[in-house]
Amino acid sequence: MVPAISFLEAPLKFRAPGVTLALGLGIGRVVFAALNRVEALFALALAGCPVFGPRTTTAIVLGATVAFVLLVQLVAVRPALTGRSDRVPAGETGPRSHAHFGYIGLEVLKVAALLAFGIVSL
C-alpha cells in the first residue's frame, strides 16, 4: 500500500486532466489520512507479534523502526503538510512546502524497513 499510494498515486493525480492543485491536495489529504489510519492499525498489530511467537532482535528493531517513522510522519511532518493544503484552496499563494521532501524521505525509509522486516521474518 505504501509504495502504491506514496510513489504512484500521489504524483500521478496531479497529471490527470482537470485536477487542479487545490483538488489534488484535497484528494491527497483524504487518501493519506486513510493510509495513515491503516498503517497505525498494522503498527499496533505488529507490536503484538512477539506475543504470538519468538522474533529475532533484528525483526523487532525493524518493526520498531517502521512504527517510529510513522509516528514522526504523523506528529512532525503531516501537520506542516496539512497547513499548506489548507491555505492553497483558500487562495493563498506562499512558498512551496519543503515538508514533502521530509515525508518522501521517511516513506523511503519506511518501505526499506518494511521490506527488510518481511525478509527477516521469513
Side-chain angles (χ1 to χ4, degrees):
M1 287 175 32
V2 174
I5 291 174
S6 295
F7 305 122
L8 290 175
E9 182 277 338
L12 288 178
K13 74 174 159 274
F14 291 102
R15 300 180 84 190
V19 175
T20 64
L21 178 60
L23 179 60
L25 290 173
I27 293 168
R29 284 179 68 169
V30 171
V31 169
F32 276 93
L35 173 65
N36 291 152
R37 283 193 293 275
V38 171
E39 287 178 309
L41 289 173
F42 283 150
L44 289 173
L46 185 65
C49 285
V51 173
F52 298 107
R55 296 287 179 255
T56 64
T57 302
T58 303
I60 292 170
V61 167
L62 288 167
T65 300
V66 170
F68 180 73
V69 169
L70 177 61
L71 182 65
V72 170
Q73 287 177 310
L74 294 176
V75 172
V77 183
R78 281 287 306 274
L81 294 175
T82 299
R84 169 134 169 90
S85 66
D86 284 342
R87 289 188 303 272
V88 169
E92 291 183 34
T93 57
R96 293 186 60 112
S97 171
H98 295 292
H100 274 101
F101 296 119
Y103 197 89
I104 292 166
L106 290 168
E107 286 291 84
V108 170
L109 177 60
K110 186 167 53 179
V111 168
L114 283 167
L115 181 62
F117 176 80
I119 291 168
V120 301
S121 294
L122 293 175

